[in-house]
Amino acid sequence: MNAQDFEFISSLLKRRAGLILTADKMYLLESRLAPLARKEGLASIDDLVRVVRSRSEERLIADVVDAMTTNETFFFRDKTPFEHLKDGIFPALSQARRGSRIRIWCAASSTGQEPYSIAMMLDQNPAMTGGVPVEIVATDISERVLERARAGLYTQFEVQRGLPIQMLMHYFTKQDDQWRLSERIRSQVSFRKLNLMESMAGLGKFDVVFCRNVLIYFDGPTKSDVLGRIAAQTNANGYLLLGAAETVIGVSTAFEAQHDRRGVYKVAQKGVRAA
Ligand SMILES: C[S@@+](CC[C@H](N)C(=O)[O-])C[C@H]1O[C@@H](n2cnc3c(N)ncnc32)[C@H](O)[C@@H]1O
């Protein structure tokens, strides 16, 4: 791919999805766009870029963005966020939200392992929220991963990553060489397409936001903007959980670090201010 084509695709990804693609990631473009070029009946990535440039077709642009997302995820990823939910966040919210409900948002949920981990954890121990009902909303920019998430169908490799064997036996049934999550757990998560670059207001307000392992793909101003807008969707005393390599420190003052709980942030009381 020549330098102009690379520049065209990387600025399209930045504009559309906030994704930063540096020149050293050229190999990613090649490995991820080649299958799309084939699917479109085109001979090469160069041809694909030419078609995208000349037609500006929304569907094809969305497919290019989708193909360039990194969808790595697994059940109970990093473990501690789920322990923080159980030991600190749910006990606090079960008091604060008594008589109402607790709303959780997984803001870049990929193929669904993160929201389903929360749903299974709650199903195993409903007393965790002191009887307060929980609603789980999960969103992603990629229609491809959302479809997989809704189906709740996972490979042997995927169910071997992070999922305790007792949960596999209890909540999944074997379907050919894959595993299907029970309808009861699937129905507890509602999946919607949402680009974090666009308005989040339609989702309503949440008590807990999981926004894990997506900010790492954005630049500083984009992280700050996204965090500010997530804060606006978070109830007073609400929580944000980030991935192990992410922080709000030096990026946004919309959330405050919880020093006793790494990776957990509380919405700042004084409204939203970018750092
Ligand atoms: C690495 S996965 C993280 C999945 C899960 N949160 C976890 O930590 O295991 C990142 C996800 O972010 C999604 N993503 C990337 N850019 C996005 C954007 N602008 N808006 C919404 N989702 C985005 C990708 O499609 C991908 O599924």
Side-chain angles (χ1 to χ4, degrees):
M1 181 179 290
N2 65 38
Q4 285 98 323
D5 282 355
F6 181 82
E7 173 54 31
F8 171 78
I9 295 288
S10 59
S11 66
L12 179 110
L13 294 174
K14 166 80 168 63
R15 206 171 55 249
R16 292 291 179 128
L19 301 172
I20 299 296
L21 193 73
T22 46
D24 59 322
K25 297 278 164 48
M26 179 80 95
Y27 71 94
L28 266 187
L29 263 188
E30 309 210 318
S31 63
R32 292 181 177 179
L33 293 186
L36 181 59
R38 276 197 298 280
K39 191 177 132 227
E40 295 295 318
L42 298 163
S44 66
I45 299 176
D46 292 347
D47 286 351
L48 176 68
V49 177
R50 222 178 343 270
V51 171
V52 174
R53 291 187 92 144
S54 61
R55 291 199 206 142
S56 292
E57 198 184 309
E58 264 314 306
R59 178 204 56 88
L60 193 55
I61 292 173
D63 283 353
V64 167
V65 171
D66 190 324
M68 289 309 300
T69 57
T70 300
N71 311 117
E72 163 79 359
T73 187
F74 48 95
F75 290 103
F76 296 98
R77 184 175 191 172
D78 301 336
K79 283 203 181 114
T80 46
F82 303 92
E83 283 161 12
H84 291 322
L85 257 190
K86 178 160 77 71
D87 301 337
I89 297 175
F90 281 150
L93 289 175
S94 63
Q95 298 299 318
R97 308 300 290 164
R98 187 158 301 282
S100 172
R101 63 188 168 148
I102 295 170
R103 295 193 78 225
I104 301 178
W105 175 25
C106 291
S109 59
S110 188
T111 39
Q113 286 90 329
E114 185 178 82
Y116 287 145
S117 296
I118 300 170
M120 286 185 284
M121 194 179 95
L122 280 167
D123 190 74
Q124 288 219 314
N125 189 355
M128 230 179 244
T129 62
V132 179
V134 175
E135 180 190 349
I136 306 172
V137 176
T139 62
D140 200 282
I141 194 174
S142 162
E143 200 54 72
R144 177 178 45 84
V145 295
L146 288 168
E147 246 173 60
R148 284 209 54 214
R150 288 188 192 103
L153 193 60
Y154 297 99
T155 63
Q156 184 70 37
F157 175 69
E158 288 169 325
V159 296
Q160 276 169 340
R161 297 183 76 195
L163 185 68
I165 185 81
Q166 302 88 327
M167 281 193 170
L168 175 64
M169 292 303 145
H170 189 71
Y171 293 113
F172 291 76
T173 46
K174 194 95 198 276
Q175 198 171 311
D176 302 320
D177 57 350
Q178 305 206 78
W179 293 87
R180 172 92 65 188
L181 180 59
S182 74
E183 164 60 25
R184 193 164 59 78
I185 297 295
R186 277 189 282 140
S187 68
Q188 285 167 34
V189 180
S190 73
F191 288 96
R192 290 161 72 167
K193 182 168 177 172
L194 184 108
N195 181 350
L196 291 169
M197 297 301 105
E198 295 172 4
S199 173
M200 308 162 176
L203 295 175
K205 292 227 176 190
F206 294 91
D207 302 294
V208 183
V209 181
F210 275 63
C211 183
R212 301 172 64 228
N213 303 301
V214 63
L215 295 178
I216 42 172
Y217 302 106
F218 300 160
D219 64 12
T222 306
K223 284 180 197 174
S224 167
D225 169 59
V226 169
L227 286 170
R229 288 183 298 109
I230 289 177
Q233 296 310 123
T234 309
N235 285 324
N237 297 313
Y239 297 84
L240 168 73
L241 291 98
L242 296 181
E246 297 163 329
T247 180
V248 305
I249 296 164
V251 181
S252 170
T253 53
F255 290 94
E256 290 163 357
Q258 300 294 284
H259 294 293
D260 52 339
R261 293 191 181 272
R262 204 164 167 269
V264 180
Y265 302 85
K266 277 193 97 169
V267 71
Q269 297 306 307
K270 292 230 165 66
V272 178
R273 287 166 286 129

